[in-house]
Amino acid sequence: MSSPQSADRRDFLKASAAVAGTAMATNMAGAHAAGADIIKVGLVGCGGRGRGAVKNILQAEEIINGDNPKIQIVAVADVFKDRASNAARDFSNPKHREYGPHTAQVKITPDTTFGGFDAYQKLIDSGVDLVILATPPGFRPYHLEAAIRANKNVFCEKPVAVDATGIRKVFGLAEEAKKRNLAIVAGTQRRHQKGYIETIKQIKDGAIGNVISARVAWNSGGPNPIWFNKRQEGEPDTAYQIRNWYHYLWLCGDHIVEQHVHNLDVANWVIGDHPIRATGIGGRAARPGGAVADPNMFGQIWDHFAVEYEYKNGVRVFSYCRHIAGSEGDVSEMVFGSNGSSRVGNYLIGKKQVGDDQIGGKHRDAYVQEHIDLLSSIRAGKPLNELRQVAESTFTAILGRNAAYAERWLKWDDALAANDGTMPEKLALDGALPATPAPTPGAWKLPKRA
Amino acid sequence: MFARCTSSCLLLAGIGLAIAIPAQADEKLAAAKLEPKNFTERATSYKIDENTKQKIPLTSKFEMVYVPGGEFTMGSPATEVGHEAIEGPQHKVKVGNFWMGKFEVTWDEFDLFWYDARYLVSNDIAAKKLGPDAITRPTNTFVDETYEHGRDGHPVLCMTHHAAMAYCHWLAKATGKAYRLPTEAEWEYAARAGKGNTAYFFGDDPKQLEEYAWFKDNSKDEENFPSKLKGCTHKVGTKKPNPFGLYDMYGNVAEWTLDQYDPKSYQKFAMNPLSIRPVTVPTAEKWSHVIRGGSWADKADRCRSAARRFSDKSWMRWDPQEPQSIWWLTRMDVVGFRVVLAETEQPELVGLVPKVVKKSE
């Protein structure tokens, strides 16, 4: 565990702090005045999801403004420069199946193609109005900090942190973004999915009586460890861990945080609050290399969690997530009320379907809709700010994870106060980075208060 | 068959031996010794227990039905109820003798490939270095791969054409027989089952369809699959077979055929008095290919012997990644496949390998 107050940590972030100061002094008016013409977009994190998000924002703008689009993709950044360059090449390729129709909107140059650990900062400084943050979530609090301090609107993928240290920062940034009138939309796309919105409105209007409890799950059973790239000969620790970010806690936060956050977010949405405490069980039973595998080769995350949450109003939420080969798949949210139940993801109240994703007779993809909502809110001068909400859902997952690691009840407030920062003090792509062991159930202790 | 290990053989700590076998044409794959009758195929592979490092054998068994070749009229007349323009013009076709899977490929069978510890997963950096000629296995899914449709005995779904091709290629290596997808001509011939040119092999009246097919009108199973209000897949072989002894040719999951879709192919074939074993050999292009037979979600007219539906990139619209998966048609929970084995392979299909790679357009 590293201390977020360490000198090296400050070194890592000092560029952003310096720029933030300038931005605050010169650009307090906000990132994009309503009515201004072109929104310049930059992508931080050029993996599959980030590239997908660029496609989605282009599609969103096409739905909003048709043949007269008013967004441009102007910059790309990735720790690995080659990934940024590849993204720039594909976005600019007129023959590309997805990006080809939009190449007139792509203005990326070699000067706006950034690599390295400070690539995000360079991108933010390059004259963008809106940044898409799609790196592994461990970096998110720092990227959010840099973007918000520079008065940028943000689309940020979920989750928004991997530890309480990051969440505390993000809670502060949510307020800061509000003061600066910035739009922040998060990749919890169910919040923008018409069928979900319609179904949850019915629940809130009393269709199943008072909500008593919920069961949420993200269990998947495929054979392969998801996104696992075996170590190449001579590959340094840091590069290897980032290429296998899903398996390392400082980058991923464990799969309950990275993936199951979607379902926990639905529970919080339905209940209208976050939990006050949680207990859980779990472990690492069938990960590659086995239960006690060398974390330097196989990472640290667990493969199953079962968590019980209690909310202030007494509602209980039972949460399950699992990545075990050969196990049954289940991605769902079930809500139980005093007068019925709802299978939210199927848009069912009892046996009646009460929602769908059709808009104007066509299916509307939530991954596109979230960008429509983001762009529309910026242009209307009424910026959406989902940062507090997604940070609460992220911390709901972190709380459950820690309760399972500790195998005991943990309170929200205690867990949120923990001095638990996991960001390594020094990062270099060619650097050594010994991995901490995977958490041992029961032996793991919540770090002391910060 | 798997004993041969090339220089690209990789010994991977804790994972076991992953062998990358080049997927070059292997003309030894043949069915020469098979009797012209039904047979039971057995395939084996193994997975590795991550804790004990032991190999856990996987086996599957499935029935292959002998289909004697012959001539038939492919496509449907404009007068057929539900006819669409792409089903014409009708044309005379001759297919050879072949065996066809009695059932659609099930998850139990597909798992032998998906879990096969002898091969690398396609998105592994080491697999990427081997290039498109290596046999690789499907990536993991983000979600429940069955989309709540049931797994034990149920047909696979959300399959891309590439996944179906790659499974056949793997199966060919695993069994020494040149399994592949049926050509469109073979599929339609098998569906018509020697019963002439009516909409279904049993005639033109869709009322009889429910005896043979799980489709929109009867596929709901509230007791076992309460979340599937619009219907779901059913265990294969739980309706009556067609006269060739093939089950679920109509309905359950729609089935991939081999051919690259060519909008002009029917016109071209119709210029011949008789097209012998017509096929448009699949290329590296992801789109388009034809599915046949309709699915649990389709109305009766989409299950007709001549009904065709060709794929396009909109079928991938639910995959939020870019590049998108070449293995999984996210949320397209209506598309599966079945396998065939030609008694004598037609020359243009000898050594056929799947060619799609992640960057394919």
Side-chain angles (χ1 to χ4, degrees):
Chain A
M1 300 275 168
S2 69
S3 158
Q5 279 82 37
S6 75
D8 288 324
R9 174 82 248 129
R10 280 200 304 274
D11 283 346
F12 181 61
L13 290 173
K14 72 181 178 190
S16 71
V19 171
T22 321
M24 274 187 282
T26 58
N27 194 15
M28 282 301 288
H32 182 86
D37 259 2
I38 301 293
I39 297 178
K40 293 179 182 167
V41 179
L43 170 65
V44 180
C46 299
R49 183 73 270 276
R51 294 159 58 105
V54 165
K55 174 180 75 179
N56 296 147
I57 199 169
L58 289 165
Q59 292 166 332
E61 181 63 4
E62 192 176 0
I63 290 170
I64 297 170
N65 279 324
D67 293 339
N68 188 21
K70 292 175 179 164
I71 67 165
Q72 291 175 350
I73 311 299
V74 299
V76 285
D78 197 287
V79 165
F80 300 106
K81 180 78 184 279
D82 61 321
R83 295 182 69 118
S85 303
N86 289 345
R89 184 198 62 209
D90 287 350
F91 297 169
S92 311
N93 177 3
K95 289 186 181 152
H96 194 279
R97 178 165 45 89
E98 301 294 345
Y99 307 111
H102 305 285
T103 45
Q105 291 161 261
V106 178
K107 308 288 180 195
I108 305 165
T109 68
D111 289 342
T112 59
T113 303
F114 304 106
F117 280 107
D118 58 353
Y120 73 97
Q121 189 64 59
K122 290 177 180 159
L123 179 137
I124 287 166
D125 298 342
S126 73
V128 298
D129 303 310
L130 189 160
V131 291
I132 295 173
L133 301 180
T135 64
F139 297 114
R140 194 89 71 248
Y142 311 104
H143 293 178
L144 278 166
E145 180 175 50
I148 289 166
R149 290 214 174 143
N151 287 322
K152 306 303 177 191
N153 294 302
V154 175
F155 173 81
C156 71
E157 261 307 333
K158 39 48 64 177
V160 292
V162 296
D163 47 38
T165 304
I167 288 291
R168 290 194 300 270
K169 183 184 282 292
V170 175
F171 278 163
L173 291 169
E175 288 309 305
E176 191 63 36
K178 202 172 287 173
K179 280 183 209 152
R180 292 163 183 252
N181 222 23
L182 299 174
I184 318 276
V185 163
T188 36
Q189 81 284 351
R190 285 163 172 76
R191 298 265 190 172
H192 301 265
Q193 193 165 332
K194 182 169 158 270
Y196 267 97
I197 294 167
E198 290 166 346
T199 307
I200 289 177
K201 180 174 188 310
Q202 294 248 342
I203 295 172
K204 290 190 182 253
D205 288 348
I208 60 169
N210 296 322
V211 171
I212 294 165
S213 67
R215 176 197 182 276
V216 295
W218 196 309
N219 298 332
S220 61
N224 315 306
I226 198 162
W227 300 318
F228 201 86
N229 285 305
K230 294 180 193 77
R231 195 159 194 155
Q232 303 300 288
E233 210 176 302
E235 189 173 16
D237 293 340
T238 307
Y240 176 68
Q241 291 183 22
I242 292 174
R243 289 203 195 271
N244 285 291
W245 64 271
Y246 199 76
H247 300 268
Y248 286 90
L249 289 175
W250 68 277
L251 288 158
C252 163
D254 220 320
H255 66 107
I256 185 174
V257 177
E258 209 286 329
Q259 210 171 37
H260 190 39
V261 63
H262 279 298
N263 318 100
L264 293 166
D265 181 60
V266 170
N268 285 357
W269 181 9
V270 168
I271 295 161
D273 203 352
H274 64 74
I276 52 169
R277 58 182 198 137
T279 188
I281 59 177
R284 182 185 164 92
R287 280 279 171 209
V292 291
D294 175 5
N296 291 298
M297 288 298 287
F298 297 104
Q300 306 132 329
I301 66 169
W302 283 9
D303 55 17
H304 64 286
F305 290 86
V307 178
E308 178 179 344
Y309 291 99
E310 185 184 338
Y311 288 68
K312 205 160 51 203
N313 61 1
V315 170
R316 300 265 170 158
V317 171
F318 305 93
S319 128
Y320 306 91
C321 56
R322 177 176 66 208
H323 278 194
I324 291 184
S327 69
E328 189 171 58
D330 176 7
V331 181
S332 64
E333 303 97 14
M334 189 85 194
V335 180
F336 303 92
S338 56
N339 192 26
S341 65
S342 169
R343 202 176 163 94
V344 185
N346 300 84
Y347 312 152
L348 297 179
I349 300 284
K351 290 182 176 181
K352 190 170 165 237
Q353 186 172 335
V354 299
D356 62 49
D357 297 334
Q358 301 286 310
I359 295 179
K362 283 176 80 176
H363 174 89
R364 176 62 56 80
D365 188 338
Y367 295 105
V368 175
Q369 186 62 42
E370 59 192 353
H371 289 283
I372 293 177
D373 295 342
L374 169 62
L375 294 171
S376 302
S377 87
I378 293 169
R379 287 168 177 151
K382 293 176 183 170
L384 279 173
N385 183 342
E386 301 181 340
L387 198 50
R388 175 86 198 183
Q389 163 190 306
V390 70
E392 284 184 0
S393 294
T394 300
F395 195 66
T396 300
I398 292 170
L399 170 67
R401 175 197 72 188
N402 289 352
Y405 286 172
E407 308 277 332
R408 57 186 17 86
W409 283 101
L410 291 181
K411 288 180 183 164
W412 175 277
D413 292 341
D414 292 341
L416 186 57
N419 185 15
D420 64 350
T422 49
M423 178 59 76
E425 297 193 4
K426 285 182 181 169
L427 283 174
L429 275 180
D430 56 359
L433 188 59
T436 52
T440 304
W444 187 91
K445 295 267 185 289
L446 185 71
K448 292 203 174 78
R449 299 175 84 88
Chain B
M1 159 136 284
F2 293 98
R4 97 192 130 114
C5 180
T6 67
S7 56
S8 51
C9 208
L10 299 161
L11 183 58
L12 297 155
I15 298 289
L17 198 61
I19 302 172
I21 296 179
Q24 81 272 26
D26 189 342
E27 298 188 18
K28 284 177 201 157
L29 295 177
K33 288 172 195 163
L34 288 172
E35 297 290 321
K37 60 180 188 186
N38 297 2
F39 71 95
T40 302
E41 183 60 275
R42 286 177 182 78
T44 61
S45 70
Y46 65 83
K47 59 181 176 181
I48 302 281
D49 182 300
E50 291 292 349
N51 287 303
T52 64
K53 314 297 178 215
Q54 297 294 304
K55 292 178 185 177
I56 301 171
L58 301 168
T59 59
S60 75
K61 206 165 74 161
F62 54 91
E63 306 291 313
M64 295 296 291
V65 170
Y66 187 71
V67 177
E71 293 180 23
F72 76 112
T73 301
M74 190 160 171
S76 66
T79 50
E80 188 169 296
V81 176
H83 165 91
E84 290 184 344
I86 60 166
E87 296 168 27
Q90 287 180 284
H91 50 286
K92 294 269 188 213
V93 164
K94 182 176 184 179
V95 299
N97 304 327
F98 59 94
W99 290 264
M100 185 177 234
K102 190 182 216 173
F103 308 119
E104 291 159 341
V105 172
T106 62
W107 286 110
D108 319 295
E109 292 157 28
F110 192 77
D111 280 350
L112 264 74
F113 170 45
W114 200 15
Y115 283 76
D116 192 335
R118 292 171 295 195
Y119 297 102
L120 293 166
V121 181
S122 72
N123 64 349
D124 192 282
I125 290 171
K128 286 177 189 162
K129 284 185 181 160
L130 293 170
D133 286 344
I135 295 183
T136 55
R137 57 194 173 107
T139 52
N140 215 315
T141 56
F142 291 96
V143 295
D144 163 22
E145 70 276 9
T146 73
Y147 288 86
E148 303 172 16
H149 280 274
R151 210 168 195 284
D152 295 342
H154 284 248
V156 294
L157 41 70
C158 294
M159 290 283 137
T160 60
H161 189 266
H162 175 73
M165 290 278 289
Y167 172 81
C168 293
H169 188 50
W170 167 88
L171 184 63
K173 291 285 183 189
T175 60
K177 300 189 190 81
Y179 284 102
R180 58 166 168 79
L181 293 174
T183 65
E184 259 205 277
E186 287 164 344
W187 194 96
E188 186 169 327
Y189 177 79
R192 294 189 178 283
K195 295 292 175 184
N197 203 33
T198 51
Y200 311 92
F201 70 80
F202 50 76
D204 287 315
D205 185 357
K207 279 197 190 118
Q208 261 182 277
L209 186 61
E210 63 180 85
E211 294 174 41
Y212 299 95
W214 297 110
F215 67 114
K216 193 180 175 82
D217 291 4
N218 67 0
S219 69
K220 222 158 94 169
D221 178 1
E222 271 195 72
E223 191 189 330
N224 294 306
F225 300 97
S227 70
K228 309 306 282 184
L229 250 66
K230 290 178 175 165
C232 56
T233 63
H234 287 250
K235 289 193 178 189
V236 298
T238 50
K239 287 287 185 183
K240 288 204 252 176
N242 79 6
F244 279 163
L246 300 165
Y247 290 79
D248 303 305
M249 290 295 285
Y250 304 139
N252 217 10
V253 285
E255 299 173 14
W256 282 119
T257 55
L258 181 74
D259 307 53
Q260 196 77 24
Y261 174 64
D262 170 4
K264 300 223 170 75
S265 66
Y266 275 30
Q267 278 90 342
K268 279 191 230 161
F269 296 143
M271 287 160 73
N272 305 323
L274 178 66
S275 295
I276 296 168
R277 303 203 289 190
V279 63
T280 310
V281 178
T283 67
E285 286 182 23
K286 281 183 189 168
W287 319 104
S288 299
H289 307 87
V290 176
I291 54 170
R292 292 297 206 115
S295 77
W296 60 269
D298 282 308
K299 291 180 187 165
D301 72 325
R302 297 289 86 215
C303 300
R304 289 174 300 108
S305 297
R308 314 168 78 196
R309 185 177 170 194
F310 59 88
S311 60
D312 68 61
K313 74 184 181 98
S314 76
W315 291 22
M316 283 299 293
R317 65 174 175 245
W318 287 296
D319 183 345
Q321 303 282 315
E322 182 57 44
Q324 293 175 313
S325 176
I326 60 172
W327 297 100
W328 304 99
L329 280 173
T330 306
R331 279 178 66 176
M332 280 293 286
D333 55 352
V334 294
V335 184
F337 66 98
R338 79 176 71 211
V339 300
V340 296
L341 174 63
E343 193 169 64
T344 308
E345 188 57 284
Q346 53 198 95
E348 63 271 55
L349 298 183
V350 171
L352 179 75
V353 295
K355 297 192 178 76
V356 169
V357 293
K358 194 138 193 179
K359 287 186 173 160
S360 296
E361 290 297 305

